[in-house]
Amino acid sequence: MSDKDTPPLTGKDLARKPRGFPDKRESLIHAQAGLVETITGVYRQWGFEALETSAFEYADALGKFLPDDDRPNAGVFAIQDDDEQWMSLRYDLTAPLARFVAEAGQSLGKPFRRYAAGPVWRNEKPGPGRFREFWQCDADTIGAPGYHADAEMIAMGAEALRAVGMAPGEFVIRVNTRRLLNGVLDGVGATSADTRLAILRALDKLDRLGAEGVADLLGAGRMDESGDYTKGAGLGASEVTRVLAFAQAGADTRAETLANLVKATGDTEEGKAGLVELEAIAKALEALGAPEGDVVIDPSVVRGLEYYTGPVYEAELLREVTGEDGKTYRIGSIGGGGRYDDLVARFTGETVPATGFSIGISRLAAAMQIMGETEKLDGPVVVLNFDKEDPTSALQLATELRRAGIRAEAYMGASGMRPQMKYADRRSSPAVVMVGEDELAKGTVTIKDLEMGALKAKAIKSNEEYREARPGQFEVPRAEMVEAIRKITEAQK
Amino acid sequence: MSDKDTPPLTGKDLARKPRGFPDKRESLIHAQAGLVETITGVYRQWGFEALETSAFEYADALGKFLPDDDRPNAGVFAIQDDDEQWMSLRYDLTAPLARFVAEAGQSLGKPFRRYAAGPVWRNEKPGPGRFREFWQCDADTIGAPGYHADAEMIAMGAEALRAVGMAPGEFVIRVNTRRLLNGVLDGVGATSADTRLAILRALDKLDRLGAEGVADLLGAGRMDESGDYTKGAGLGASEVTRVLAFAQAGADTRAETLANLVKATGDTEEGKAGLVELEAIAKALEALGAPEGDVVIDPSVVRGLEYYTGPVYEAELLREVTGEDGKTYRIGSIGGGGRYDDLVARFTGETVPATGFSIGISRLAAAMQIMGETEKLDGPVVVLNFDKEDPTSALQLATELRRAGIRAEAYMGASGMRPQMKYADRRSSPAVVMVGEDELAKGTVTIKDLEMGALKAKAIKSNEEYREARPGQFEVPRAEMVEAIRKITEAQK
């Protein structure tokens, strides 16, 4: 399978991996597993049940809903099966769910409420923080036509983020509906695709350019500081005012935002329908006890995936964080979702109302790592091994410790005392146990408390003094080993 | 991407998935997650730390170690990256670990002891119980030359299987070394590849044909009952006796088996080296407290993966089970491992001693399902929804129940009372809560205990009587709802 034009790699050059597929170490894996456990726990508490599908689906069953469709595989990893049908690795957990629901048909019973956690794959250009494999954790309700089902997704998403430790003000879930924006566009007479795109692009710059700059872009056009000119969307003055009023409708409470939107969206069918959606969602959010600060209505939200048909939700971390490299990061989007009433209809012809929420587990775990919130886990007690030919004593002692519930290992390498001590340090061991010939003869073990030893060693000046004092080191009868180790590990907690 | 010779699928025909990639439901997912948690818990307790690699590796970095190499992709799923390098989905967790170790080089520090759990993919012919995606849970020690490291893997594997509920006698880990068999083959003068293969094939039939049939196959050949003749390996009588003695060396204890093997393997270099390995392992197993019944030395074990260099281990479930279809299944192999000292050397040129153990999580979870040992999980309390326009009451009550720690949902579909009750039954709900206009006016809720209701309903003859009695159903003040539900869920435990 190697490229015929280049010689096959050998030696160290072989030891490389594709970009965008990171290896994960202890603390990140632990953080990720904790996130999955906590979030699926919340989903379960809200009545959802587990359903997991496999990595592969037939490519045509997945459909093409990714925004990245200017690449040959439209953003997915695809491969031909033995019978030359194309299979793709899933790019999210929603499209496979729609296939499952369509395949199960009437036998499934509805509503069907499921949760799932697992990796998804996107064949995109990898970059810093942009992975090609990442975990998501989803909940979906299939067969729920009412917008209270959307509100449930949103309120549950907020609860899940609180459950993993996000305080009020550290995150927000923004809610919008595609109909509202369509209504506004209809209302200002923006019917051509070009004009609508120009308006969307202008609105996307509100944060950066402010209302004045965006007004120029919505109207005749705008010259920036470098002298570059951007052609405007060509709206008249009153239309510009209405679009801006819409984009700036966000207020302190969901009720105020809705009141502003009523003024801004005017009289179009789509706009009115969108307001009905958002009003129903706001009312249900109230009943579900979703705090105002956690969930806001925000007319600027647009989700990238193309299968959404109504309300869309976007979860964002608000905290700015400083990474180990001293740079400031904005974490940004860590999840979202929306209503996708037509996704099952691709298969069955019948519209099946559906809504779902997805949390980006890898994104959130990476954020926790940047924020310094991943835990450094305790290492095992290491029983040093002084007899390479017969490690029986070390194996027995480690077994004894483990049977007492203590995380422990007998040293497994081929090195002498000093590297074994270094190994224990590197593993963040709370203590090491040593049994040499002396100890064997006396029926004792020597224990070194590595944390106390390090503390005491700071006060010691010379190597000679160190060897004399042996800080943190003491000898106990073998029968008292477990008790002595337990004291050390408990003191270090 | 669809095949140009056939029209694209539409409608229900689209809703299909590739074979060998099963969807997983609640109880299986729960069983699998429990297995991963318990087994990685044991690995952690023995001092291993988490390291996870991604699904994709460059194909040449993975190497070709699968036995299935008569197919174009040699058993893997491969795809070309943007720069036309071939990437493969990992077929196990060991080959990516070797890449990681080689890439990290000296900075990693050794021994490096890691555990991992995750899916692997094999591009094999799917069949009943033969999946193309399945989970494994591995532990590996890199940089451990002593055979006590192998013994540790074996003893830990046995402890992990006990930890997930396998009783003594329900499983066994069989230990062998490739050197021993090579020694025997050398000892009987079986130097040609053909003869060696004929001997291995004959030994593989020991269970089915017994010693006499295998003796024929090792010697001149054998005619079976149908009259078919199989050519033999052509060994002389004393060689046949020696090979059979080797194959039948298994005894009640590891020490006896070793004594039998000493007699059978004779004087070859490889045979003696193999015995040294097994003796060291047996001694360390003693120190690690591995019960005789859990771990046996079995000269018939051969592992499929080609990277093993010394000791190999195979874990097998012994229980025969009867499935729901009435058929009897032998679960067979559920894990194994071995020493792979040359795998890192592919990259670095330097031999890095390594040994690992892998448990087949999907296999084990499927086994538990067949054995009826997967748990049926409790459903949520369902709050019925009588007002499609305004579901506020149902949402509030479900929120209240969840805040009290009770798994609960408001009904999200669009159906009437009867289908809502059916839904609650299908979800195995312990109880439903109903609030109609009457209850709203009175400030009460009506609760139905579904388990008690079903019990009482059995004694009821007519529909009329049923409607009169409303078995298991009662009304409480709204403020007492949580307490009443808690009583029901606790009584059902």
Side-chain angles (χ1 to χ4, degrees):
Chain A
M1 287 187 299
S2 63
D3 192 337
K4 295 224 166 66
D5 297 331
T6 52
L9 295 172
T10 52
K12 285 196 180 173
D13 294 334
L14 257 183
R16 75 218 190 283
K17 67 187 167 62
R19 283 176 59 219
F21 296 101
D23 297 321
K24 294 178 206 152
R25 299 297 296 268
E26 182 95 337
S27 63
L28 189 66
I29 293 166
H30 193 253
Q32 181 169 306
L35 290 172
V36 168
E37 195 186 334
T38 303
I39 294 169
T40 58
V42 170
Y43 293 167
R44 268 192 71 72
Q45 172 80 344
W46 287 60
F48 291 76
E49 65 171 85
L51 166 78
E52 284 178 11
T53 62
S54 288
F56 277 111
E57 299 279 342
Y58 284 124
D60 50 8
L62 278 189
K64 293 179 184 175
F65 295 102
L66 284 182
D68 179 17
D69 53 8
D70 53 344
R71 289 155 55 93
N73 281 333
V76 301
F77 293 101
I79 196 174
Q80 271 184 308
D81 204 357
D82 282 346
D83 55 2
E84 296 190 351
Q85 292 188 78
W86 282 97
M87 310 194 299
S88 296
L89 288 173
R90 62 185 181 206
Y91 56 81
D92 73 1
L93 303 175
T94 311
L97 172 63
R99 185 272 306 154
F100 173 84
V101 171
E103 206 179 7
Q106 292 306 320
S107 73
L108 188 60
K110 300 207 179 58
F112 177 60
R113 293 154 70 75
R114 80 90 187 239
Y115 69 83
V120 301
W121 293 269
R122 298 211 181 152
N123 195 356
E124 295 171 342
K125 210 176 154 62
R130 256 182 92 113
F131 304 125
R132 299 201 285 173
E133 168 177 302
F134 50 94
W135 274 60
Q136 296 190 328
C137 186
D138 284 25
D140 296 86
T141 298
I142 309 286
Y147 294 112
H148 53 290
D150 298 272
E152 185 189 50
M153 286 297 157
I154 297 160
M156 182 170 70
E159 182 166 319
L161 291 173
R162 286 193 302 270
V164 299
M166 299 300 145
E170 292 189 338
F171 76 95
V172 66
I173 300 183
R174 305 181 195 280
V175 183
N176 192 18
T177 170
R178 297 206 159 168
R179 285 193 170 144
L180 203 60
L181 181 63
N182 289 340
V184 172
L185 295 173
D186 290 352
V188 297
T191 47
S192 82
D194 279 357
T195 309
R196 289 171 93 102
L197 190 63
I199 295 173
L200 289 179
R201 284 197 176 146
L203 289 179
D204 207 35
K205 291 177 182 137
L206 193 58
D207 269 0
R208 195 153 55 80
L209 302 181
E212 216 168 308
V214 172
D216 290 344
L217 286 175
L218 290 170
R222 178 175 182 275
M223 174 108 59
D224 69 15
E225 283 164 17
S226 70
D228 283 346
Y229 183 77
T230 309
K231 196 166 165 273
L235 297 183
S238 74
E239 280 78 20
V240 168
T241 309
R242 261 176 71 190
V243 171
L244 269 181
F246 166 76
Q248 296 179 302
D252 281 350
T253 66
R254 298 187 288 258
E256 285 172 60
T257 305
L258 277 172
N260 291 342
L261 285 171
V262 170
K263 286 178 237 157
T265 47
D267 231 24
T268 62
E269 282 304 304
E270 278 285 281
K272 282 192 279 186
L275 277 171
V276 167
E277 289 180 12
L278 290 182
E279 278 160 356
I281 288 173
K283 185 164 188 189
L285 285 171
E286 215 55 50
L288 289 161
E292 288 282 355
D294 290 4
V295 182
V296 305
I297 289 173
D298 181 340
S300 73
V301 169
V302 186
R303 295 280 299 169
L305 285 159
E306 290 170 23
Y307 48 61
Y308 294 121
T309 54
V312 285
Y313 345 121
E314 178 108 29
E316 196 182 331
L317 283 196
L318 299 175
R319 235 204 287 181
E320 283 206 348
V321 291
T322 307
E324 276 180 29
D325 54 3
K327 284 186 191 152
T328 301
Y329 294 84
R330 260 184 83 73
I331 306 290
S333 175
I334 43 143
R339 178 162 284 273
Y340 50 97
D341 283 354
D342 297 336
L343 202 48
V344 176
R346 287 183 61 236
F347 301 103
T348 60
E350 267 172 77
T351 292
V352 177
T355 181
F357 193 84
S358 175
I359 293 181
I361 295 291
S362 300
R363 201 77 177 269
L364 198 51
M368 289 173 71
Q369 199 167 48
I370 293 169
M371 297 190 285
E373 285 174 3
T374 50
E375 209 179 330
K376 179 132 179 45
L377 301 171
D378 288 338
V381 171
V382 175
V383 182
L384 305 193
N385 178 20
F386 295 106
D387 188 340
K388 280 174 219 168
E389 299 308 310
D390 183 2
T392 297
S393 294
L395 295 178
Q396 281 172 338
L397 290 171
T399 303
E400 208 174 302
L401 287 165
R402 285 191 293 261
R403 286 193 176 157
I406 294 162
R407 189 178 182 212
E409 65 182 63
Y411 179 79
M412 283 291 157
S415 302
M417 162 93 180
R418 196 182 289 259
Q420 293 194 33
M421 285 298 300
K422 263 182 83 174
Y423 171 79
D425 264 337
R426 189 162 43 75
R427 293 295 309 278
S428 307
S429 302
V432 296
V433 176
M434 295 169 268
V435 197
E437 280 178 27
D438 279 8
E439 284 93 348
L440 270 179
K442 284 191 281 178
T444 63
V445 301
T446 296
I447 290 172
K448 182 165 180 175
D449 178 337
L450 291 182
E451 193 170 287
M452 182 176 301
L455 275 175
K456 285 193 180 163
K458 278 187 190 161
I460 291 177
K461 301 277 180 317
S462 72
N463 277 342
E464 210 166 47
E465 198 187 334
Y466 182 91
R467 274 195 298 275
E468 192 68 27
R470 297 191 179 275
Q473 193 163 317
F474 59 95
E475 200 174 335
V476 295
R478 181 160 168 166
E480 291 167 24
M481 172 186 69
V482 166
E483 205 40 48
I485 292 284
R486 208 189 297 281
K487 264 188 205 151
I488 291 173
T489 55
E490 271 164 23
Q492 290 184 13
K493 263 173 198 162
Chain B
M1 285 185 302
S2 62
D3 193 337
K4 292 221 169 64
D5 297 331
T6 52
L9 295 173
T10 53
K12 287 198 180 173
D13 293 336
L14 257 183
R16 75 218 191 285
K17 67 187 168 62
R19 283 175 61 218
F21 296 102
D23 298 320
K24 295 177 206 155
R25 299 297 297 269
E26 182 95 338
S27 63
L28 188 66
I29 293 166
H30 193 255
Q32 183 170 304
L35 289 171
V36 168
E37 194 187 332
T38 303
I39 293 169
T40 58
V42 169
Y43 292 169
R44 268 193 70 72
Q45 172 81 345
W46 287 60
F48 291 77
E49 65 171 85
L51 166 79
E52 284 179 9
T53 62
S54 288
F56 277 111
E57 298 281 341
Y58 284 124
D60 50 7
L62 278 188
K64 294 179 184 177
F65 296 102
L66 285 181
D68 179 17
D69 54 7
D70 52 346
R71 288 156 55 93
N73 281 333
V76 302
F77 292 101
I79 196 174
Q80 269 184 309
D81 204 356
D82 282 346
D83 55 2
E84 298 191 345
Q85 293 188 76
W86 281 97
M87 309 194 300
S88 296
L89 288 173
R90 64 187 181 204
Y91 57 81
D92 72 2
L93 302 174
T94 312
L97 172 64
R99 185 271 307 154
F100 173 85
V101 171
E103 207 179 6
Q106 292 305 320
S107 72
L108 188 62
K110 300 206 181 56
F112 176 61
R113 292 154 71 74
R114 79 91 186 239
Y115 68 84
V120 301
W121 293 269
R122 299 210 182 153
N123 195 356
E124 295 171 342
K125 209 176 157 62
R130 256 183 93 114
F131 304 126
R132 299 201 284 173
E133 167 178 302
F134 50 93
W135 274 59
Q136 294 190 329
C137 187
D138 284 26
D140 295 87
T141 298
I142 308 286
Y147 293 112
H148 53 291
D150 299 272
E152 186 189 47
M153 287 295 157
I154 297 160
M156 182 169 70
E159 183 166 317
L161 291 173
R162 285 193 302 270
V164 299
M166 299 299 145
E170 292 190 337
F171 75 95
V172 67
I173 299 183
R174 307 180 195 280
V175 183
N176 191 18
T177 171
R178 295 205 160 167
R179 285 192 170 144
L180 202 61
L181 180 62
N182 289 341
V184 171
L185 295 174
D186 290 352
V188 297
T191 47
S192 83
D194 280 357
T195 309
R196 289 170 94 102
L197 191 63
I199 294 172
L200 289 179
R201 286 195 173 146
L203 289 180
D204 207 34
K205 292 180 181 131
L206 192 58
D207 269 1
R208 195 154 54 82
L209 301 182
E212 215 167 309
V214 171
D216 290 343
L217 286 174
L218 289 169
R222 180 176 178 275
M223 175 104 62
D224 70 14
E225 281 165 16
S226 70
D228 283 347
Y229 183 76
T230 309
K231 198 166 164 271
L235 298 183
S238 75
E239 281 77 20
V240 168
T241 309
R242 258 175 73 188
V243 171
L244 268 181
F246 165 76
Q248 296 179 301
D252 281 349
T253 66
R254 298 187 288 258
E256 284 173 62
T257 305
L258 277 171
N260 290 343
L261 284 172
V262 170
K263 284 179 237 155
T265 48
D267 231 22
T268 63
E269 280 305 305
E270 279 286 279
K272 280 193 278 185
L275 276 171
V276 167
E277 290 179 12
L278 290 182
E279 277 159 356
I281 288 172
K283 185 165 188 191
L285 284 172
E286 214 55 50
L288 290 161
E292 287 283 355
D294 291 3
V295 183
V296 305
I297 290 173
D298 181 340
S300 73
V301 168
V302 186
R303 296 279 299 167
L305 285 159
E306 288 170 26
Y307 48 60
Y308 294 120
T309 53
V312 285
Y313 346 121
E314 178 110 29
E316 195 181 333
L317 284 196
L318 299 175
R319 237 207 284 180
E320 282 207 347
V321 291
T322 307
E324 276 181 26
D325 55 3
K327 282 184 195 157
T328 301
Y329 294 84
R330 261 185 82 74
I331 306 290
S333 175
I334 44 142
R339 178 162 283 274
Y340 51 96
D341 283 353
D342 296 337
L343 202 48
V344 176
R346 285 182 62 236
F347 302 101
T348 60
E350 267 173 77
T351 292
V352 177
T355 180
F357 193 83
S358 174
I359 294 182
I361 295 290
S362 301
R363 199 75 178 269
L364 197 49
M368 288 172 71
Q369 200 167 45
I370 293 168
M371 296 191 285
E373 285 175 4
T374 50
E375 211 180 327
K376 179 134 179 42
L377 300 171
D378 287 339
V381 171
V382 175
V383 182
L384 304 194
N385 178 20
F386 295 105
D387 189 341
K388 279 174 219 167
E389 298 309 310
D390 184 2
T392 298
S393 295
L395 295 178
Q396 283 172 338
L397 290 171
T399 303
E400 208 174 300
L401 287 166
R402 285 192 292 260
R403 288 194 175 155
I406 294 162
R407 189 178 181 213
E409 66 183 62
Y411 179 78
M412 283 291 156
S415 302
M417 162 92 181
R418 197 183 291 259
Q420 293 195 33
M421 285 298 301
K422 262 181 84 175
Y423 171 79
D425 265 337
R426 188 162 43 75
R427 293 295 308 278
S428 308
S429 302
V432 297
V433 176
M434 293 170 268
V435 196
E437 282 178 24
D438 278 8
E439 285 92 348
L440 271 178
K442 286 191 281 178
T444 61
V445 300
T446 297
I447 291 171
K448 182 166 180 174
D449 178 335
L450 291 180
E451 192 170 287
M452 182 177 299
L455 276 175
K456 285 194 180 162
K458 278 189 189 160
I460 292 177
K461 301 277 179 322
S462 72
N463 276 343
E464 208 165 51
E465 198 187 334
Y466 183 91
R467 274 195 298 276
E468 193 68 29
R470 295 191 181 277
Q473 194 164 315
F474 59 96
E475 201 173 335
V476 295
R478 183 160 166 167
E480 291 168 23
M481 172 186 69
V482 166
E483 203 41 47
I485 292 286
R486 207 190 298 281
K487 263 188 204 150
I488 291 173
T489 55
E490 272 164 22
Q492 290 185 13
K493 260 170 202 161

